[in-house]
Amino acid sequence: MSEINSNSPDVLPEVAEFLGSAHHALIGAQWKMASDGRMRDVCNPANGDVIATVAECGPAEVDAAVKAASASFKAKVWRGTSVSERTQVLLRFADLIERDAEMFAQIDVLDNGMPIWLARMIIASGIEGLRYAAMIAATLTDENFSAATSSADRRLHAYSATQPIGVAALIIPWNGPAASFLVKAAPALAAGCSCIVKPAELTPLSALLLGKLALEAGVPEGVLNIVTGDGKVVGNALVEHPLVDKVSFTGSTVIGKEIARRAADRLKRVTLELGGKSPTIVFDDADLELAIPGAAMAVFANSGQMCIAGSRLFVQRKVFDKVVAGIGQVAGSLKIGNGMDPNNQLGPVISAQQRDRIAAIVAEGQEQGAEIVCGGGSPSGNGFFVEPTVVVGADKDSSLIREEIFGPVIAAIPFDDLDDVIPQANDSRYGLAAGVFTTDVNKAHIVADELEAGNVWVNCYGVTHPMVPFGGFKESGWGREFGVDGLQSYRESKSVVVQLHGS
Ligand code: ADP
């Protein structure tokens, strides 16, 4: 197996300076060390180097951050401002992120390992989402029921309005750090909430820079707090804190269920964006020039570390061999290495543990009858790299077919026709996403209608937009992010009925 060159090319001087600076929690408008002074090393998955140390917070810091958020909410320093003022601040925040976009991209590459092209793309989409949330907040209107509820002998003024929910805990994953922060913080702030962001312990750095720019943009003290640290410690303390009104979480289904159970005690509002085992379906009438690279990158992009990864590939029998060979060719042609090198298309996976887990699932699948068409190994070198891998013949109950792998591994399965593929595609406890490749518009719509998935892409994959709701069916989550629904999930509806007297 090839050796990976995982040396880091030079980073911007401002990135080097940022990495060398102190990384503490943002509580109110202050950067605070953990009360016991503990710090955690953050490492670059491309070579294992420690690139920064970050405050390892605990329940005391969570309590202080939640109290700061709650005080700012009660004092109405943010929700009490006009929507146009809030929009202006958030648009300024977006401009500052755009000014430093290359810095964000490089920090996420060093922290997460993703290739720089992807980091640039996702920070741009995060900025777009922030601008969109800021602008739609100004368009939310109340509903007026006065005419419908009034009658000849009773005159009513009845309306329903929404208000910000309160204090929101935003728990984000490591697979797209800066963008994940914005996917939650943008609607929460635009909705008028005060919030506490908990970045993943493996990738906390871009969150801290975002916190700095939010303050610079004019987000008032206490409205945006950031607490770094362990999921079980900081995450649990946030979910259980009595002053937290809403939890929005992106991560694994196992942890999502645990959060739902803990939040249920106080019936906190919960949004969950969880795992997936998404099908990509290629019909024999598909444009294979589009379908082959589309299905390949549906799972190989970000080394498969995407909740939407299209990890089950259903191919109509007539074109099965051709499509599988084509995807194998794409896999073999992808350049793997340090994400900072713009020539590389795939970076490492996040950790040695994750690399070993992926290898174990592939090995177990082989024992259960799967055959490797290409990949299947881990290139040597210091970083945590995994070769893009294509398998066929996997047992339908093996982890290759049932479990979210979060790695660049695709299992190809032949099918006969539409009636054969739909039940197979839906045979999963997950329901996040799906891709369909066909030139038959009618078939595309039927499949989209039949699939149990919150997001269906036709002749493309993974295309998201801040206007288009995103989320999952079944065990892939609760609620939707993006769009008006996403913003409204940070607001609570209130109905007011006033009986009027006189003429
Ligand atoms: P993944 O499985 O994708 O690594 P996790 O679901 O473990 O992701 O974690 C996603 C986010 O949830 C991270 O910020 C992590 O620190 C946090 N987290 C982990 N465990 C818990 C928990 N028990 N309660 C709340 N948050 C948690």
Side-chain angles (χ1 to χ4, degrees):
M1 245 159 279
S2 55
E3 169 123 12
I4 296 286
N5 175 6
S6 43
N7 295 331
S8 280
D10 287 346
V11 296
L12 290 170
E14 51 272 40
V15 170
E17 192 188 329
F18 172 79
L19 294 176
S21 66
H23 301 292
H24 297 151
L26 177 59
I27 298 176
Q30 311 281 319
W31 296 95
K32 297 260 172 88
M33 287 179 72
S35 47
D36 58 7
R38 281 205 302 147
M39 301 291 285
R40 176 193 286 260
D41 287 344
V42 177
C43 95
N44 178 350
N47 49 28
D49 291 351
V50 173
I51 52 171
T53 55
V54 176
E56 182 72 355
C57 297
E61 290 70 46
V62 169
D63 187 54
V66 173
K67 285 185 173 147
S70 178
S72 75
F73 193 75
K74 288 212 172 76
K76 301 188 180 173
V77 294
W78 179 244
R79 67 165 163 140
T81 57
S82 71
V83 72
S84 58
E85 260 177 88
R86 293 201 296 277
T87 299
Q88 256 181 359
V89 171
L90 294 179
L91 291 178
R92 205 178 308 138
F93 184 23
D95 289 346
L96 292 175
I97 301 169
E98 195 163 55
R99 178 196 70 192
D100 293 345
E102 186 59 17
M103 226 182 138
F104 278 103
Q106 292 197 1
I107 289 169
D108 270 1
V109 170
L110 296 171
D111 209 357
N112 162 281
M114 68 175 68
I116 188 81
W117 64 266
L118 183 61
R120 288 181 181 137
M121 202 169 96
I122 67 174
I123 190 65
S125 77
I127 295 166
E128 189 184 17
L130 176 56
R131 290 191 172 127
Y132 172 76
M135 289 186 295
I136 56 165
T139 69
L140 295 182
T141 49
D142 301 346
E143 282 184 279
N144 183 344
F145 308 109
S146 303
T149 50
S150 296
S151 59
D153 54 355
R154 193 183 63 176
R155 191 155 159 199
L156 299 176
H157 175 44
Y159 61 94
S160 159
T162 63
Q163 298 183 336
I165 267 181
V167 172
L170 313 176
I171 303 178
I172 60 175
W174 47 259
N175 59 337
S180 304
F181 182 115
L182 292 171
V183 164
K184 296 196 190 299
L189 292 173
C193 288
S194 292
C195 46
I196 306 99
V197 180
K198 189 229 150 317
E201 50 273 43
L202 295 171
T203 58
L205 296 173
S206 52
L208 299 175
L209 187 57
L210 283 165
K212 182 167 167 270
L213 297 193
L215 291 177
E216 191 180 332
V219 173
E221 171 173 350
V223 171
L224 175 67
N225 306 273
I226 304 171
V227 186
T228 48
D230 186 70
K232 289 241 173 313
V233 178
V234 171
N236 281 351
L238 272 173
V239 173
E240 293 188 344
H241 199 293
L243 293 177
V244 168
D245 301 292
K246 152 130 196 170
V247 180
S248 179
F249 167 81
T250 297
S252 62
T253 291
V254 174
I255 304 292
K257 287 181 183 176
E258 191 178 324
I259 286 176
R261 280 191 285 267
R262 285 176 193 269
D265 241 8
R266 289 176 188 267
L267 292 178
K268 292 182 182 186
R269 285 19 181 186
V270 177
T271 299
L272 300 172
E273 203 273 272
L274 307 176
K277 191 70 197 170
S278 300
T280 305
I281 304 174
V282 180
F283 285 95
D284 60 15
D285 60 23
D287 174 354
L288 297 188
E289 303 275 311
L290 199 67
I292 290 172
M297 292 319 282
V299 70
F300 297 147
N302 207 16
S303 298
Q305 301 170 112
M306 305 170 293
C307 50
I308 55 169
S311 51
R312 290 181 299 145
L313 172 69
F314 294 96
V315 187
Q316 203 159 11
R317 224 170 271 283
K318 200 169 114 194
V319 291
F320 184 79
D321 290 344
K322 192 167 174 187
V323 170
V324 170
I327 290 180
Q329 256 169 18
V330 175
S333 71
L334 292 170
K335 216 160 168 274
I336 315 176
N338 191 316
M340 283 296 297
D341 180 341
N343 296 313
N344 289 330
Q345 288 138 320
L346 289 194
V349 296
I350 191 71
S351 61
Q353 190 192 10
Q354 182 58 10
R355 176 196 57 200
D356 298 344
R357 183 178 161 270
I358 297 165
I361 291 177
V362 173
E364 185 197 66
Q366 278 180 287
E367 279 162 29
Q368 293 167 329
E371 256 178 69
I372 293 186
V373 175
C374 73
S378 297
S380 53
N382 296 335
F384 317 132
F385 293 93
V386 177
E387 287 177 335
T389 301
V390 182
V391 304
V392 293
D395 184 277
K396 78 174 192 18
D397 291 318
S398 64
S399 299
L400 278 171
I401 301 292
R402 295 279 161 200
E403 299 303 324
E404 180 171 47
I405 301 175
F406 238 57
V409 180
I410 190 166
I413 304 152
F415 71 89
D416 295 321
D417 55 22
L418 203 137
D419 291 340
D420 178 32
V421 74
I422 296 291
Q424 291 195 69
N426 285 338
D427 182 16
S428 168
R429 64 194 173 101
Y430 296 110
L432 186 57
V436 185
F437 288 87
T438 176
T439 48
D440 180 340
V441 175
N442 187 57
K443 200 188 301 171
H445 285 295
I446 288 175
V447 174
D449 187 44
E450 293 285 337
L451 286 173
E452 295 162 359
N455 311 272
V456 180
W457 291 288
V458 178
N459 293 329
C460 61
Y461 200 92
V463 182
T464 59
H465 188 278
M467 283 183 86
V468 182
F470 179 87
F473 282 28
K474 302 195 275 189
E475 292 189 29
S476 289
W478 277 353
R480 294 292 177 269
E481 298 195 291
F482 296 151
V484 176
D485 290 0
L487 188 71
Q488 291 289 28
S489 76
Y490 291 94
R491 292 179 70 88
E492 192 83 90
S493 156
K494 176 183 285 180
S495 298
V496 180
V497 180
V498 185
Q499 178 146 335
L500 304 177
H501 300 282
S503 51

